[in-house]
Amino acid sequence: MAEASTIGLVHAVRGAVVDVRYGGGDLPALNEALMVDWDQPGALILEVQSHLDRATLRAVALQATAGLSRGVSVRATGAPVMVPVGRAVLGRLLDVTGTPRDLGDALPPDTPRRSIHAAPPSLAAQGATTEVFETGIKVIDLLTPMAQGGKAAMFGGAGVGKTVLVMELIHAMVQNYDGISVFAGIGERSREGHELLTEMETSGVLPGTVLVYGQMNEPPGARWRAPLTALTIAEYFRDTRHRNVLLLMDNVFRYVQAGAEVSSLLGRLPSRVGYQPTLATEVAGLQERIASVAGAAVTSIQAVYVPADDFTDPAVTTISGHMDCVIVLSRALAGQGFYPAIDPLASSSTLLDPALVGADHHAIAGEVRETLARFAELQDIISLLGIDELGAADKRIVARARRLQRFLTQPFAVTEAFTGMPGKAVARADTLVGCRAILDGAADDWDESALYMVGTLDEARAKQAAA
């Protein structure tokens, strides 16, 4: 068998896709990393995606290719893209190749490295967990409880609060969460990345966190591989250090979008709605690696942009199929000032089971949903004829549903600078007590505003008494 050629020449450049031609021998393997020996500042790394013929391969660039010309030599590394892992990356901001981008010191030369491509743990090795992962956010803990070691996704269109919710979850969990946090910023705006870094430095959680960014201004190859870099770091702490890991991704839709860009540049025929034909495979390859093993859990919280608020979009439906907990953000609720703007009827969780959360929690959550669903059914009648045309029972349901809607709002710590209201984290037991009391009519005589943007029911009671 012929040895793989180590030196090739750039044959064609089409944006982020580069064709490399070799003189003889076997071509470098798929997913192998190639180094371009060019005269520009900074490294240019390519990842092999396909073999066009016996002498030519097609690769995706992980950095910008501006200034790259034909005839430049390309070296095969003999391995996939290798990124640094371990204690040295804690508190650092890295790019897709693991290079620090926080203006800090270079990583030590003895930092261990791992390939960004790995198989998921076998089913026999994976650990099933049913422990509730409390967030301190009332509507999530009540209606869509998260599992320690589970996967949760927040779906929403532009401007309904996905990133704010992710930042609040980070803030709420650092107080009582013992583990490593890994954040993947996929297609993030530079401003959002800077805000998150500043927020983590200020709150003192950066030493236990790794930030990996493939930003919006970077080539599609960087955005496409950034989540794999973050996942590789998370897998190291899970498998080698046996630490619990909180893996946050914002935004997984940008990962799919980058894959679609790469797919079209590689010359593949598009599939439904213009997405790549490998959509399901790529999403499964990412999501199946997010798994827990005995003794160490990887809990994943992912923000997913919904294009044009179309929840039937193929990318959205493909991603949601891998989730244990689906949190849907509603533009209508955001427009009415209900924050977090989580739709209680469209959101769901596999953990909302009496055997897992308890019969009391399950019953209260069911009654809250039933009350809010009946209120939604009555909206058309109220709009046409007015609330006075309803029967006494329906009037009571409407009054309690409106109070529940307001009670399930709460101020966030990350928005305190804008709202002037200090953030509130509410224990699950307090949320259940408050909802039970409202369902039983304890707040029927209160002003609705007393329940808006408070933490526990006691705070609402004090607000009502002061009014």
Side-chain angles (χ1 to χ4, degrees):
M1 181 177 172
E3 290 187 3
S5 303
T6 57
I7 302 293
L9 299 176
V10 173
H11 178 66
V13 182
R14 283 181 300 279
V17 167
V18 179
D19 291 353
V20 182
R21 179 159 286 179
Y22 288 83
D26 290 342
L27 295 177
L30 297 182
N31 291 330
E32 186 172 327
L34 311 176
M35 293 290 298
V36 178
D37 295 322
W38 65 343
D39 56 359
Q40 302 290 324
L44 176 56
I45 299 175
L46 312 178
E47 187 181 77
V48 180
Q49 290 300 313
S50 62
H51 295 165
L52 302 181
D53 54 43
R54 296 180 66 88
T56 312
L57 61 81
R58 184 161 285 171
V60 171
L62 301 185
Q63 293 90 7
T65 56
L68 181 62
S69 58
R70 295 183 67 185
V72 174
S73 62
V74 179
R75 287 182 293 112
T77 62
V81 176
M82 307 290 285
V83 295
V85 294
R87 296 183 187 276
V89 300
L90 290 174
R92 304 304 299 270
L93 189 153
L94 311 175
D95 66 10
V96 64
T97 61
T99 306
R101 296 295 181 188
D102 51 10
L103 305 180
D105 297 333
L107 297 173
D110 60 346
T111 303
R113 289 180 173 266
R114 274 193 173 190
S115 164
I116 65 170
H117 299 283
S122 66
L123 283 174
Q126 291 183 25
T129 177
T130 54
E131 184 183 345
V132 176
F133 192 83
E134 285 200 27
T135 65
I137 297 173
K138 289 182 285 189
V139 64
I140 292 178
D141 289 342
L142 173 69
L143 299 176
T144 59
M146 294 184 186
Q148 176 90 11
K151 290 195 281 274
M154 290 169 293
F155 295 88
V160 294
K162 296 184 300 299
T163 299
V164 169
L165 197 51
V166 167
M167 290 175 68
E168 181 65 18
L169 285 166
I170 294 170
H171 191 277
M173 290 170 185
V174 291
Q175 275 76 19
N176 49 19
Y177 177 74
D178 177 30
I180 303 295
S181 296
V182 180
F183 180 86
I186 311 161
E188 286 279 273
R189 301 171 184 86
S190 300
R191 170 188 56 78
E192 291 175 337
H194 185 265
E195 282 177 2
L196 184 65
L197 180 61
T198 306
E199 172 77 23
M200 288 190 162
E201 285 176 337
T202 305
S203 59
V205 301
L206 192 60
T209 305
V210 186
L211 303 175
V212 179
Y213 276 99
Q215 295 187 137
M216 197 175 277
N217 61 337
E218 295 187 61
R223 289 178 270 125
W224 191 41
R225 291 310 190 205
L228 300 189
T229 301
L231 190 50
T232 301
I233 295 169
E235 286 171 336
Y236 171 84
F237 284 108
R238 179 195 69 193
D239 299 335
T240 307
R241 298 289 179 184
H242 307 293
R243 298 288 302 275
N244 289 338
V245 181
L246 178 62
L247 178 64
L248 302 122
M249 293 188 182
D250 187 7
N251 178 315
V252 181
F253 176 79
R254 303 292 180 203
Y255 164 72
V256 172
Q257 198 175 41
E261 291 178 48
V262 168
S263 179
S264 62
L265 288 168
L266 291 172
R268 296 176 186 150
L269 287 173
S271 183
R272 283 193 304 159
V273 201
Y275 285 111
Q276 60 270 45
T278 53
L279 171 64
T281 307
E282 287 177 15
V283 171
L286 175 69
Q287 299 293 347
E288 293 303 313
R289 284 176 63 182
I290 304 173
S292 301
V293 297
V298 176
T299 305
S300 175
I301 299 170
Q302 307 172 26
V304 184
Y305 168 69
V306 179
D309 290 347
D310 178 14
F311 286 88
T312 63
D313 186 88
V316 175
T317 56
T318 303
I319 294 167
S320 64
H322 293 272
M323 297 299 150
D324 307 314
C325 174
V326 173
I327 299 168
V328 177
L329 288 103
S330 161
R331 191 171 302 282
L333 288 173
Q336 295 173 56
F338 295 131
Y339 292 103
I342 295 171
D343 187 332
L345 302 179
S347 305
S348 62
S349 170
T350 58
L351 211 65
L352 193 59
D353 184 291
L356 304 178
V357 297
D360 191 39
H361 182 157
H362 184 261
I364 292 171
E367 284 185 54
V368 167
R369 270 220 176 91
E370 192 177 325
T371 303
L372 294 172
R374 180 60 181 158
F375 178 45
E377 290 172 5
L378 294 170
Q379 288 281 28
D380 287 344
I381 297 173
I382 295 169
S383 299
L384 289 170
L385 303 175
I387 197 166
D388 292 334
E389 297 300 314
L390 299 178
D394 282 342
K395 280 183 183 177
R396 187 167 58 249
I397 286 173
V398 168
R400 291 176 184 175
R402 287 175 63 86
R403 283 161 174 77
L404 282 170
Q405 278 185 329
R406 282 150 182 79
F407 181 65
L408 292 178
T409 64
Q410 70 191 85
F412 281 174
V414 295
T415 59
E416 184 177 343
F418 308 103
T419 63
M421 290 184 283
K424 307 282 186 184
V426 183
R428 183 163 61 118
D430 290 334
T431 301
L432 295 176
V433 167
C435 289
R436 179 78 272 166
I438 294 170
L439 288 167
D440 290 344
D444 283 359
D445 298 329
W446 296 8
D447 290 337
E448 292 177 356
S449 59
L451 294 154
Y452 180 66
M453 284 293 171
V454 296
T456 62
L457 191 69
D458 290 337
E459 291 177 33
R461 186 177 286 111
K463 194 174 172 183
Q464 170 69 17

